[in-house]
Amino acid sequence: MSTATGGTAGDWDAIVVGSGIGGLVCAGYLVAAGRRVLVLEQHDVAGGNSHVFRRRRAYEFDVGVHYLGDCGPGGLLPSILGGLGLGERVRFHPMDPDGFDRIVLPSVTVDVPVGWPRYLDRLRQALPAEAEGLTRYIEICEAVARTCRTNATSAPGGKLPAVMLRWSRRTLTQLFDHCGLSARARTVLAAQSGNYGSAPASTLVVAHTMMIDDYLRGAYYPEGGGQTVAAALVELLESHGGTLLTKTRVGRVLVEHGRVAGVELTDGTEFRAPVVVSNADYRRTVLELCGGNENLPDAVVDRARDARMRLPTAVCYVALDRELPEQPNSNIWYWPNEDVEGAYARVEAGDLDELPFAFLSFASIKDPVPGSCCPPGHTNFQIMTACPPGYRHWGLDEGPARGARYRRDEAYLAAKNRLTDQMLDLAEAAIGPFREHLVHLETSTPVTQERYTLSTGGSAYGLQSWGRTGQRPDVRTGIEGLFLTGQNIHHGGGIVGVATSGAACASAILDRAVLPEVCRGAIYGNPELLPDRGADWDPLRVSRGAKRRDARGLAKLDHVAPAGS
C-alpha cells in the first residue's frame, strides 16, 4: 500500500473528504484538539462554494459568497472562526444596514433593513392592506428563529416552546396560508429564497427563518472575497500539523467489519484512519463512496436514492468598464412576476421561458479592499437565477461527475447562451442598460457546478427532502466512524450554515459542545502557530495546499495591491 504523504497505515486520526467550509471547519477543530487530520480535495483549490476564480488578470469572481449574515461582534461565523484562533484573520465589511437587500416587484419595492422590528415596519409600509397578516407572520418567524439560535448555541435540554412544536415541521406555504397573505405578499417574503433554492411549499418555516434571521442580524461581505475564509482555515489546518491535498479524488470509503478504516483514492492509493468525515455530496457518499447496500442498510440506501435536491442555480459573471451610478451597498432581488409559487412550479416542471427571478450581487461595491476584484473604475457583479432539476434542459443525458463531456455540445451551448441573454435582460430591467460597457461575460450552469463540486444535479444547496419535506440527515451515519458535514445535513445552508455543520460534526467526534463553548469565548486553536502573511500573500495560492502552493497555473491579478497581514 502506498500513501501520497509517504506515511504508513494508521498515520491519520481523521480524514476529511472534501474541503468545503464545513469540512475545513470540522478539520480545524479536530486538528486544534490534537488530532492528526488529512483533508482530501478533488478540485485544485480548497473552499468549495467559497472559492474564487480569476479572468484576464483583471477580475476575480466569487463563486458562492455573495453576502453573509450575522458577522458582527459575537456573530455565529466570527465565533466559529474565533474559536479556532482566526478572529483577526478574516474581517467582515457590513453592507447597508438600512437596506442590504432590495426586493423589486412590478408593483412594489422593499428595502430590507437590519432588525426584525424594522423589517416588519418596511413590510407594513409597502403592503398596508396586509398589516395584520404580516404582523402575525413576523411574530411567528421571530419566535422560531430565536428558539433555533438558542438551541444551536446553548447546551441541549429543556422543552420546546409551543411555536416550535406547531411550526417546526410545517412549510412556508402553510405559514402564509395561516396568515392569510396574498400572492404578492408571499413573493415579497420569499423573494430571498434564492439563498436556499426551494419553493415555499418545499421549504420548512425553520429553514427560511434561520436564513432571514442571520441577515437581519446584519449582512456582511468578507474583505478580500470569499477565498479569504477558506485560506484562513487552511492556514490553521497546516500550522497545527494537518495536511491538505488538492487534486486528490477519493474513490471510496473503506469499511471493514462495519466500521470505517480509511479511504481509497481513484488511483488506488489508500489512507487509513478510524474516523472519516464526508464533506462530499450526501447521495454520492451513500450510493458511491460507501458502496451502497454493500455497507449500509437497504432502507438507508433507498432513502438516499429517493432523496430530492434543492433547485440548482446558474450564475452570470459580469465585468463592466465603468462604475454603476448611485448603486447602494445592497443586493437586488428582481421578480418579474408576483407569484412566487407559480414561478417555482414552472422551473420545477422544466420551463425556463420566463426566469423566476434575478439576484444581483455587486462584489466591487461590497468589498472595501481596493482593486480586490476588478480594476479601479470598473464594476464586478453577478446575476443568479434558479434552474430546472436534471440534465434535460441542457440537452444532456448525464453529468460530468460520470464523465459526460458537455462544454462543446451544441444543445448545451444553445441553452446556456439563451439563459445568459435572459439573465442580462432581467438585470437591465433592474438596474438599466449596461451591455455596451461589458468587458467580461461568463455563465456558470448547474452542469458547471457539478463538474467542480460533484454535487448531485449541480445543486449548491443540498437536499430538499430526505424521507419527508425539509428533513435532512444528522452528522452521524449508520457506519461507525463515518460522519457527515456540509450543505446536505440539517445544519447546512449557505456558508454560515455549513460552518455550523462543521462545528457540530467536530462536537460529535470530540464529544464536546464545540459551538456553545466558542460562543462563550473558548478558543481551541493557537494563534501563535499561524504563519505570518507577507506582502504578496494570496488566499488562492494558500488554498492550493502546501504541496501544490507553488505549482504552475496560479492565476494572478495585475492591478491588485499586495494583501499584507
Side-chain angles (χ1 to χ4, degrees):
M1 182 187 72
S2 63
T3 63
T5 59
T8 57
D11 270 0
W12 304 103
D13 295 320
I15 297 171
V16 179
V17 181
S19 68
I21 296 300
L24 288 176
V25 166
C26 180
Y29 277 102
L30 295 182
V31 78
R35 305 294 176 92
R36 295 165 298 176
V37 182
L38 172 65
V39 179
L40 302 173
E41 169 57 49
Q42 61 94 26
H43 189 27
D44 62 2
V45 62
N49 282 315
S50 74
H51 89 83
V52 302
F53 66 92
R54 294 164 179 169
R55 293 290 186 263
R56 300 172 184 260
R57 300 183 68 91
Y59 304 103
E60 179 175 283
F61 296 102
D62 263 298
V63 170
V65 178
H66 303 116
Y67 62 146
L68 304 172
D70 190 25
C71 289
L76 197 52
L77 184 56
S79 294
I80 291 170
L81 295 174
L84 292 169
L86 299 173
E88 301 300 320
R89 292 248 158 174
V90 183
R91 294 181 289 270
F92 299 97
H93 185 68
M95 296 174 63
D96 189 345
D98 195 49
F100 57 84
D101 272 339
R102 173 166 289 176
I103 297 168
V104 181
L105 277 61
S107 66
V108 65
T109 295
V110 178
D111 287 326
V112 180
V114 171
W116 285 98
R118 296 182 68 210
Y119 180 40
L120 175 57
D121 287 345
R122 291 281 171 86
L123 292 171
R124 290 190 295 205
Q125 291 169 13
L127 303 164
E130 303 195 58
E132 182 178 348
L134 290 168
T135 301
R136 186 181 305 120
Y137 168 85
I138 292 296
E139 288 174 349
I140 292 170
C141 286
E142 188 174 8
V144 168
R146 185 166 53 247
T147 302
C148 289
R149 181 165 292 269
T150 299
N151 289 345
T153 59
S154 305
K159 294 183 178 180
L160 287 176
V163 68
M164 282 295 289
L165 293 174
R166 181 171 186 182
W167 292 104
S168 63
R169 294 185 179 181
R170 297 193 180 188
T171 67
L172 197 54
T173 292
Q174 289 173 311
L175 178 56
F176 290 157
D177 291 342
H178 172 75
C179 297
L181 297 170
S182 68
R184 182 171 66 160
R186 295 173 190 227
T187 305
V188 169
L189 295 172
Q192 295 138 296
S193 55
N195 282 321
Y196 49 72
S198 59
S202 304
T203 303
L204 294 184
V205 172
V206 170
H208 179 79
T209 54
M210 288 174 66
M211 179 275 294
I212 194 67
D213 181 63
D214 271 350
Y215 290 119
L216 291 178
R217 292 171 180 270
Y220 296 80
Y221 188 79
E223 295 184 10
Q227 196 72 53
T228 60
V229 181
L233 291 165
V234 171
E235 289 178 326
L236 180 283
L237 174 75
E238 294 179 340
S239 66
H240 285 63
T243 296
L244 165 68
L245 297 180
T246 54
K247 297 194 76 171
T248 305
R249 183 167 175 175
V250 173
R252 67 186 179 109
V253 173
L254 301 175
V255 180
E256 298 173 358
H257 310 295
R259 68 158 297 122
V260 153
V263 302
E264 180 181 272
L265 306 185
T266 52
D267 67 2
T269 301
E270 288 186 6
F271 296 99
R272 300 186 73 84
V275 170
V276 172
V277 176
S278 179
N279 186 205
D281 177 87
Y282 175 75
R283 294 181 79 246
R284 295 196 194 282
T285 298
V286 171
L287 303 177
E288 299 173 18
L289 297 183
C290 290
N293 302 88
E294 179 183 348
N295 294 305
L296 288 163
D298 291 346
V300 173
V301 176
D302 291 344
R303 198 175 191 184
R305 186 176 289 114
D306 294 339
R308 295 177 58 201
M309 307 299 291
R310 289 181 175 177
L311 288 175
T313 56
V315 182
C316 189
Y317 300 93
V318 179
L320 308 179
D321 62 4
R322 71 175 178 98
E323 295 181 349
L324 292 174
E326 300 179 0
Q327 173 60 39
N329 190 358
S330 62
N331 306 306
I332 295 176
W333 293 92
Y334 181 76
W335 285 77
N337 187 297
E338 300 191 349
D339 178 11
V340 63
E341 301 276 13
Y344 272 112
R346 288 191 295 274
V347 175
E348 290 170 347
D351 180 3
L352 264 191
D353 286 342
E354 179 182 341
L355 300 187
F357 64 85
F359 169 69
L360 280 66
S361 171
F362 304 91
S364 52
I365 296 174
K366 294 175 183 178
D367 196 339
V369 179
S372 63
C373 62
C374 64
H378 289 218
T379 296
N380 172 326
F381 73 99
Q382 298 170 35
I383 313 163
M384 182 180 75
T385 196
C387 295
Y391 305 112
R392 181 177 301 176
H393 178 79
W394 309 104
L396 304 173
D397 295 323
E398 60 182 5
R402 294 191 177 277
R405 297 182 178 274
Y406 68 93
R407 298 170 72 184
R408 296 181 181 180
D409 183 272
E410 291 184 4
Y412 171 78
L413 291 174
K416 177 180 174 178
N417 292 338
R418 179 170 183 263
L419 178 61
T420 299
D421 287 338
Q422 289 175 289
M423 286 196 286
L424 291 174
D425 287 343
L426 279 192
E428 289 194 320
I431 63 174
F434 58 78
R435 275 181 166 96
E436 64 181 24
H437 293 279
L438 281 170
V439 289
H440 185 79
L441 179 65
E442 182 173 353
T443 298
S444 164
T445 70
V447 187
T448 317
Q449 173 79 17
E450 181 180 311
R451 174 188 169 201
Y452 285 106
T453 67
L454 303 181
S455 60
T456 297
S459 173
Y461 296 120
L463 295 170
Q464 175 175 293
S465 61
W466 180 69
R468 64 171 183 266
T469 297
Q471 187 176 16
R472 290 177 161 206
D474 201 351
V475 297
R476 298 182 185 274
T477 68
I479 299 176
E480 186 179 352
L482 178 64
F483 297 84
L484 304 172
T485 188
Q487 289 284 14
N488 290 278
I489 71 170
H490 75 260
H491 304 83
I495 299 297
V496 178
V498 296
T500 304
S501 81
C505 189
S507 293
I509 297 169
L510 298 173
D511 194 24
R512 291 183 63 175
V514 169
L515 196 55
E517 287 181 11
V518 300
C519 285
R520 293 194 299 267
I523 299 178
Y524 283 60
N526 182 357
E528 294 182 0
L529 296 178
L530 295 170
D532 293 332
R533 292 178 174 177
D536 61 346
W537 185 79
D538 182 350
L540 195 60
R541 178 174 177 267
V542 170
S543 300
R544 302 171 100 192
K547 292 187 177 297
R548 293 193 59 255
R549 196 147 291 151
D550 295 318
R552 298 178 61 184
L554 177 66
K556 297 183 179 181
L557 301 179
D558 289 336
H559 61 277
V560 174
S565 59

